[in-house]
């Protein structure tokens, strides 16, 4: 991809839809601003927005003639939050099992749900998300992305991975006496590179692989794709200017994904310090998806107190090892396993399990934007950046739970959620 084509592609990706910019400049006056340009709160700062972009930020910013001033007392203003692991075409497993969603829910129903999920996500202050697979809903994410871009339905800026790629026979649903629809595209050997290119042709912004999975019901996860298969697929994606996310929970699956050149690894439930040391050395980012593990444990009857289930203890250990190793972290909760709009659940757990609040806020904004390759456009409050902004009641640096009380959302300069709504 030439530099010009790459810039045009990014510009189209960032296009928020029709007529999103405010007609007059807006001066936002919260109690404090977290710019994410640093990891600090700035009391008494203000932000000026015009034509969909941030014009100025600081303590002495004044409203120009004709501007609208919006006071946001008691709030913190943040860059639009970013979730790097969602499934808009799934809904919580305590409502309907994954198997039944894939097997029994018609595409029209799943798409209608996805539209509602996109709106809930945006209203929760998440203005950009990476959807890592439709889980049996084909390439419907490409249509949803277009609908959001064209202003037909409200939703976050959407980066998609299409159907995701799994080793032949390794995914699900399983246990049927006949062939059934699968939650991802099955592929092996020489078919991997064509599958990557086919997904990109159908609109994938990211390519997703499953490096390990359960071959049969009740079995532990095992590595699926060989190192050579992953290397070929990831190289094809990178050649096309796409980054690669890899589902991997086992040390061997993670090791293969890291050596093959993955950009992010999702889950890492059973990861070891040695694996995280390799991730750190190779510059691979980690999405721990703590909230999904927590949600599934609660669906199984855990009440959130001791004794913790083994899955929770293992997840705590792997997350602590990742923090200790200093790997690049990303915020992505596997939203869809639990309710859309509750995306901040992941940030809360990341803090509760050991990350400093300001580091978590930076990761959910500037850090995630950098991983997407969009750090020059979103993720920080700075002059020239796209005006994706969210106000929350209280100070999330003192209480990360403040992220659950969103009072205002601005998307590309357009107020999509007003205080009091």
């Amino acid at each position: 991809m030439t530099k010009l084509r790459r810039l045009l592609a990014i510009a189209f990706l960032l296009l928020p839809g029709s007529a999103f910019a405010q007609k007059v400049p807006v001066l936002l006056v919260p109690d404090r601003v977290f710019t994410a340009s640093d990891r600090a709160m700035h009391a008494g700062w203000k932000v000026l927005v015009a034509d969909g972009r941030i014009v100025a930020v600081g303590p002495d910013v004044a409203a120009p003639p004709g501007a609208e001033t919006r006071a946001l007392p008691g709030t913190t203003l943040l860059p639009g939050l970013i979730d790097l692991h969602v499934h808009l075409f799934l809904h919580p497993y305590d409502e309907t099992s994954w198997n039944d969603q894939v097997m029994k829910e018609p595409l029209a129903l799943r798409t209608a749900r996805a539209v509602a999920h996109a709106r809930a996500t945006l209203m929760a202050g998440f203005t950009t998300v990476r959807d890592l697979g439709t889980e049996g809903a084909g390439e419907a994410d490409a249509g949803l992305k277009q609908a959001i871009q064209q202003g037909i339905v409200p939703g976050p800026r959407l980066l998609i991975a299409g159907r995701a790629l799994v080793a032949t026979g390794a995914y699900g649903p399983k246990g049927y006496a006949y062939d059934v629809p699968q939650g991802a595209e099955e592929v092996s050997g020489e078919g991997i590179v064509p599958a990557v290119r086919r997904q990109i042709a159908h609109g994938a912004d990211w390519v997703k692989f499953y490096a390990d999975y359960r071959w049969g019901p009740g079995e532990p996860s095992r590595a699926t794709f060989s190192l050579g298969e992953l290397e070929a697929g990831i190289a094809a994606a990178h050649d096309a200017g796409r980054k690669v996310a890899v589902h991997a929970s086992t040390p061997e699956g993670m090791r293969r994904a890291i050596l093959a050149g993955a950009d992010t690894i999702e889950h890492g439930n059973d990861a070891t310090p040695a694996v995280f040391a390799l991730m750190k050395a190779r510059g691979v980012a980690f999405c721990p998806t703590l909230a999904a593990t927590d949600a599934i444990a609660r669906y199984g009857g855990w009440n959130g107190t001791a004794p913790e289930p083994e899955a929770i203890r293992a997840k705590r250990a792997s997350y602590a090892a990742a923090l200790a190793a200093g790997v690049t972290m990303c915020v992505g909760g596997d939203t869809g396993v639990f309710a859309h709009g509750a995306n901040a659940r992941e940030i809360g757990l990341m803090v509760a399990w050991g990350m400093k609040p300001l580091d978590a806020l930076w990761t959910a904004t500037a850090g995630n934007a950098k991983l997407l390759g969009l750090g020059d456009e979103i993720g920080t409050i700075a002059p020239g950046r796209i005006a994706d902004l969210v106000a929350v009641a209280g100070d999330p640096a003192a209480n990360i739970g403040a992220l659950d009380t969103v009072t205002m959302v601005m998307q590309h300069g357009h107020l999509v959620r007003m205080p009091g709504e």
Side-chain angles (χ1 to χ4, degrees):
M1 181 181 289
T2 66
K3 183 177 181 180
L4 177 59
R5 287 179 63 196
R6 186 178 296 111
L7 290 172
L8 289 172
I10 291 174
F12 181 74
L13 176 68
L14 294 169
L15 189 66
S18 59
F20 263 27
Q22 290 292 103
K23 293 181 179 179
V24 298
V26 177
L27 182 67
L28 301 172
V29 187
D31 281 9
R32 66 195 67 81
V33 175
F34 179 75
T35 67
S37 298
D38 55 20
R39 304 190 192 205
M41 288 290 177
H42 298 282
W45 280 28
K46 295 167 280 188
V47 177
L48 180 64
V49 173
D51 297 323
R53 297 270 175 172
I54 296 164
V55 176
V57 56
D60 301 318
V61 178
E68 175 186 355
T69 297
R70 284 190 171 267
L72 300 168
T75 70
T76 300
L77 192 68
L78 308 156
L81 298 168
I82 302 171
D83 189 332
L84 289 193
H85 195 133
V86 309
H87 295 281
L88 290 173
F89 287 82
L90 291 177
H91 59 104
Y93 295 175
D94 63 338
E95 296 175 357
T96 307
S97 71
W98 182 88
N99 269 19
D100 282 353
Q101 291 185 49
V102 175
M103 287 290 297
K104 297 180 179 179
E105 293 186 346
L107 181 58
L109 172 62
R110 297 190 67 188
T111 302
R113 285 188 186 275
V115 170
H117 297 159
R119 183 185 185 281
T121 300
L122 180 61
M123 294 302 105
F126 285 79
T127 55
T128 301
V129 302
R130 182 182 63 164
D131 190 300
L132 287 183
T134 63
E135 304 292 323
E139 283 90 26
D141 54 351
L144 177 59
K145 176 182 172 179
Q146 291 176 40
I148 292 171
Q149 287 178 328
Q150 294 175 29
I152 298 169
V153 299
R157 181 176 297 102
L158 188 56
L159 295 97
I160 61 173
R163 297 173 62 195
L165 296 171
V166 295
T168 305
Y171 204 47
K174 288 183 180 292
Y176 295 86
Y178 47 87
D179 290 337
V180 299
Q182 292 291 289
E185 181 175 355
E186 295 184 293
V187 66
S188 293
E190 294 180 356
I192 289 175
V193 170
V196 168
R197 292 171 177 162
R198 182 166 56 248
Q199 293 217 5
I200 292 169
H202 290 165
D205 303 301
W206 279 67
V207 174
K208 182 184 179 183
F209 285 93
Y210 282 72
D212 52 30
Y213 210 73
R214 301 176 295 274
W215 284 101
E219 291 188 23
S221 288
R222 293 184 172 89
T224 52
F225 288 116
S226 69
L227 176 58
E229 287 175 319
L230 287 172
E231 286 176 331
I234 291 172
H238 286 170
D239 284 347
R242 269 48 173 197
K243 292 186 177 182
V244 176
V246 178
H247 165 117
S249 291
T250 66
E252 179 59 18
M254 293 179 71
R255 186 189 72 84
R256 293 183 190 181
I258 296 163
L259 294 177
D263 296 287
T264 67
I265 289 180
E266 319 299 309
H267 309 304
N269 296 1
D270 300 316
T272 63
V275 169
F276 285 124
L278 183 61
M279 285 185 72
K280 173 68 173 177
R282 296 293 183 105
V284 181
F286 180 48
C287 283
T289 65
L290 307 180
T293 301
D294 177 79
I296 290 170
R298 291 174 187 271
Y299 298 157
W302 180 51
N303 65 4
T305 62
E308 292 180 337
E310 176 55 33
I312 295 292
R313 291 194 295 271
K315 195 72 162 184
R316 280 186 178 271
S318 70
Y319 179 64
L323 291 177
V327 300
T328 299
M329 305 292 286
C330 66
V331 169
D334 211 353
T335 315
V337 173
F338 57 97
H340 297 278
N343 306 62
R345 181 175 181 173
E346 178 74 5
I347 306 172
L349 283 169
M350 292 176 82
V351 170
W353 290 12
M355 184 178 280
K356 295 178 181 178
L358 288 171
D359 289 340
L361 293 173
W362 182 90
T363 302
T365 53
N368 275 1
K370 182 178 180 180
L371 289 172
L372 292 175
L374 300 176
D376 291 337
E377 292 284 355
I378 61 173
T380 55
I381 301 177
R385 298 292 193 270
I386 290 173
D388 286 356
L389 301 165
V390 56
V392 300
D395 181 359
N399 174 18
I400 200 67
L403 297 179
D404 294 328
T405 53
V406 173
T407 63
M408 185 211 76
V409 179
M410 177 177 279
Q411 184 183 35
H412 214 290
H414 177 65
L415 285 164
V416 296
R417 178 173 182 173
M418 311 286 194
E421 291 184 348

